[in-house]
Amino acid sequence: MNLNEKIIMEIESLVENNGFNRNHKYGFSYFKPPLVGFASVNNPLFSDYKNIIGDFHYHPKEFFEPLAAPCEYSLPFKK
């Protein structure tokens, strides 16, 4: 198992086992499994964010180590 897979498993476990993701009265969870993605710090989209959002927005190269890959996850709601 590589590092990306370990990170994905950890995020999925945190969401699944978090008490705030449960309606204890009716026994259901609020969120589907998280969507997890990784990006290259060289992705030109990050430079666009700095131009669109503003100079205060950090580029991953300014925030992470040079070889790091930013990780993003979102929690899709269940119906």
Side-chain angles (χ1 to χ4, degrees), residues 22-71:
R22 297 270 181 269
N23 182 307
H24 298 284
K25 183 175 180 180
Y26 297 105
F28 64 87
S29 59
Y30 295 110
F31 300 107
K32 296 178 184 178
L35 304 173
V36 182
F38 300 89
S40 167
V41 294
N42 296 317
N43 187 324
L45 183 61
F46 293 121
S47 295
D48 292 343
Y49 285 160
K50 198 163 190 71
N51 294 329
I52 294 168
I53 297 170
D55 288 335
F56 60 89
H57 189 275
Y58 283 108
H59 190 287
K61 288 181 180 179
E62 298 170 316
F63 196 74
F64 295 109
E65 293 293 323
L67 300 177
C71 174

Side-chain angles (χ1 to χ4, degrees), residues 6-24:
K6 288 179 183 180
I7 292 170
I8 291 169
M9 284 183 53
E10 184 65 26
I11 292 171
E12 288 174 344
S13 176
L14 287 170
V15 171
E16 182 179 339
N17 298 314
N18 190 305
F20 290 112
N21 186 24
R22 297 270 181 269
N23 182 307
H24 298 284

